[in-house]
Amino acid sequence: MKQFESDILIVGSGLTGIIAAYALSSLNHNIIIIDQKKILLNNKPDFKSLQHDTRTTAIAEGSKEFLSKIGLWQNLNKFSEPIKKIKVIDRTPNKKIDFFNNKKNSNLGYIIENSNFLSITLKKLIKKNNIRFIDQAELKDIKSFKNRINCEFNNCIISTKLLIAADGKNSSIRSIKKTKIYKKTYKENALVVNFDHTANHNNCAYEFFYNNGPLALLPMKKKQNFKSSLIWSNNKNYLESLINADQHLLKEVLQEKISETLGNIIKINSKKLFPLSAHINYKFYDKQIVYIGDAAHSVHPIAGQGWNLGLRDVKKLYYLIEKHMSLGLEIESRQLCEEYHQACFYDAFRLFQITDKLNSLFMVENRILNGFRDIGFNIIENNSNLKKQISNFAMGI
């Protein structure tokens, strides 16, 4: 069986994993990225496979700033669509909050298709001399030693100083290490639909709060027509019947939701259903292991902040490793892993609670809570400082 050595081993080649690899490679560490699935085809991104990923990613302004620092945003920018306004609406158009960002050279966020995000980042990673890709590898066991950790896969053994778990919600590393989690499974599913429409979205994102779940509309980059992405949380059985129904019925139902904002639906480009759940690890480390992104936490999509939370993990880990190197400390130290946990856990726990409670608050339908929501919306809409604070929080700055 083949054996390899690395300074950093990253398990998982999704967006969070490959951005972690790209960022940390600039600190001159030898890095291996490994995954169960095929990562490259003939040493190039597998574009045909990537096109099947029809999801979009919402990038906060703070995330964009970090992507700029590590030299990625310059390539991603032309494929992204800025969000210049956000309209939050509770049930009816007269109960709304309008968010703007008045800072120069910045926006409330950006929307980019995952296929573009992945292919651009992989292209740049391939050119790095200190990155090795290994794919179609299933993790079997993890053994810790004093200064290294050995990971046994079905096709190789890798000895590394630091293991980064970027292997998603169902992390195999978390399972092998028996790291405890708190998990919440929601009764709703999320329907994600990308579609072309007639009216200009004017770089405005919408969040509608209904008693059966939130519905978000996100502006996408225009091609022949205006494009947007819809994310709708609703009853599982209802959404399953809708997505399996005739395309015309789905179009009619969605048309009713978007007609006042985006005009008529020209065509539906993709549709997919996702189960909704959230979780948080009891701790984000284990000896020479750190968990990032969905391997550490996942939140309800109501605020569109899940991926940005994972990028903040990468950012904090990057600066911690940079600091330890400047002090002559080893990156495999337990101290670094503990500092990472302390830097990231509260941020994730806070967002986990905020998104969960927001979802519960807006789904309840009674006179008292409706009244409180009305008061809250009026206060926020008429208080520019409060709106600025909420905008800055959403922007990650």
Side-chain angles (χ1 to χ4, degrees):
M1 186 176 288
K2 291 182 179 179
Q3 298 193 19
F4 302 97
E5 286 195 1
S6 68
D7 298 319
I8 298 172
L9 171 63
I10 299 174
V11 178
S13 64
L15 273 177
T16 306
I18 63 173
I19 290 172
Y22 189 84
L24 297 175
S25 68
S26 66
L27 301 179
N28 299 318
H29 292 292
N30 291 315
I31 298 171
I32 294 177
I33 308 173
I34 195 164
D35 205 312
Q36 283 188 321
K37 67 177 186 291
K38 192 78 175 166
I39 304 174
L40 303 175
L41 187 64
N42 299 323
N43 205 36
K44 293 180 181 178
D46 186 353
F47 296 109
K48 189 174 181 181
S49 176
L50 290 175
Q51 291 304 316
H52 292 150
D53 188 347
T54 58
R55 294 171 296 170
T56 58
T57 294
I59 301 173
E61 183 66 28
S63 299
K64 184 211 83 171
E65 289 174 1
F66 181 67
L67 292 171
S68 295
K69 175 183 170 54
I70 62 175
L72 267 178
W73 185 250
Q74 295 85 330
N75 301 91
L76 297 171
N77 187 29
K78 65 180 180 180
F79 294 97
S80 69
E81 187 69 8
I83 299 173
K84 297 180 179 179
K85 298 174 286 184
I86 298 176
K87 292 182 179 289
V88 179
I89 299 161
D90 182 20
R91 306 316 195 252
T92 59
N94 63 318
K95 290 193 287 184
K96 64 180 178 63
I97 305 171
D98 292 328
F99 290 101
F100 301 89
N101 173 35
N102 296 318
K103 291 182 179 179
K104 289 184 178 180
N105 302 317
S106 69
N107 293 288
L108 290 169
Y110 307 83
I111 303 299
I112 186 168
E113 294 180 61
N114 279 18
S115 56
N116 288 325
F117 204 159
L118 284 162
S119 62
I120 289 165
T121 309
L122 282 170
K123 273 183 188 177
K124 289 180 72 70
L125 264 181
I126 290 165
K127 295 176 183 177
K128 297 271 188 177
N129 294 326
N130 55 338
I131 300 282
R132 177 193 289 270
F133 293 90
I134 300 174
D135 53 21
Q136 297 177 305
E138 183 181 351
L139 183 61
K140 298 294 186 181
D141 198 12
I142 299 170
K143 293 177 181 176
S144 298
F145 301 95
K146 186 177 179 181
N147 296 316
R148 297 193 75 84
I149 190 164
N150 282 6
C151 295
E152 297 179 8
F153 296 86
N154 61 309
N155 55 3
C156 65
I157 296 173
I158 302 174
S159 176
T160 190
K161 293 178 180 179
L162 181 68
L163 172 60
I164 298 177
D167 51 346
K169 276 188 176 184
N170 301 312
S171 169
S172 56
I173 294 173
R174 197 176 62 221
S175 177
I176 289 171
K177 298 303 294 184
K178 295 181 171 57
T179 303
K180 292 181 180 179
I181 68 168
Y182 172 76
K183 183 176 181 180
K184 181 164 186 177
T185 302
Y186 294 97
K187 295 177 182 178
E188 301 78 38
N189 276 351
L191 173 64
V192 179
V193 179
N194 293 342
F195 60 99
D196 291 8
H197 50 88
T198 56
N200 192 338
H201 50 56
N202 292 309
N203 299 101
C204 182
Y206 297 85
E207 182 91 30
F208 297 92
F209 289 112
Y210 300 116
N211 60 356
N212 52 12
L215 183 150
L217 295 172
L218 304 174
M220 294 174 65
K221 198 80 175 173
K222 182 181 178 181
K223 293 181 181 175
Q224 289 89 356
N225 303 305
F226 297 109
K227 290 166 65 72
S228 289
S229 182
L230 175 147
I231 302 97
W232 187 14
S233 300
N234 207 320
N235 177 273
K236 291 180 179 180
N237 293 332
Y238 173 69
L239 289 183
E240 283 174 5
S241 63
L242 190 60
I243 200 169
N244 292 323
D246 181 82
Q247 185 94 331
H248 181 70
L249 175 62
L250 174 62
K251 192 174 176 180
E252 276 193 347
V253 171
L254 298 183
Q255 184 64 65
E256 182 189 354
K257 300 292 181 184
I258 66 101
S259 58
E260 292 185 12
T261 53
L262 300 176
N264 295 319
I265 296 173
I266 298 171
K267 66 174 179 175
I268 292 173
N269 299 311
S270 65
K271 56 181 181 177
K272 199 158 186 180
L273 209 55
F274 296 92
L276 279 182
S277 66
H279 83 280
I280 187 164
N281 294 13
Y282 279 37
K283 58 179 185 175
F284 290 0
Y285 75 100
D286 189 315
K287 295 181 181 176
Q288 297 114 315
I289 302 171
V290 294
Y291 296 97
I292 66 172
D294 284 354
H297 46 70
S298 59
V299 298
H300 192 284
I302 191 169
Q305 290 295 312
W307 181 82
N308 292 287
L309 183 62
L311 192 71
R312 292 204 290 272
D313 294 341
V314 175
K315 180 179 176 179
K316 289 168 185 173
L317 182 61
Y318 172 89
Y319 286 121
L320 272 173
I321 290 177
E322 188 178 52
K323 183 186 83 171
H324 275 243
M325 290 174 63
S326 70
L327 296 172
L329 301 174
E330 298 293 339
I331 65 167
E332 67 268 25
S333 69
R334 185 182 181 90
Q335 181 186 345
L336 182 143
C337 297
E338 288 177 347
E339 284 183 33
Y340 167 77
H341 168 82
Q342 290 163 5
C344 297
F345 184 83
Y346 173 72
D347 189 19
F349 181 77
R350 177 181 59 168
L351 195 59
F352 179 94
Q353 293 290 350
I354 289 171
T355 52
D356 181 62
K357 299 304 179 287
L358 271 177
N359 182 60
S360 300
L361 173 66
F362 281 100
M363 288 185 70
V364 174
E365 191 72 39
N366 66 47
R367 225 186 278 178
I368 295 172
L369 270 178
N370 286 353
F372 277 122
R373 286 202 305 268
D374 287 351
I375 293 168
F377 265 60
N378 285 331
I379 290 171
I380 295 170
E381 175 63 10
N382 295 303
N383 189 318
S384 58
N385 286 331
L386 187 54
K387 283 212 286 190
K388 184 179 178 181
Q389 289 177 35
I390 295 170
S391 296
N392 288 345
F393 176 79
M395 291 165 67
I397 59 174

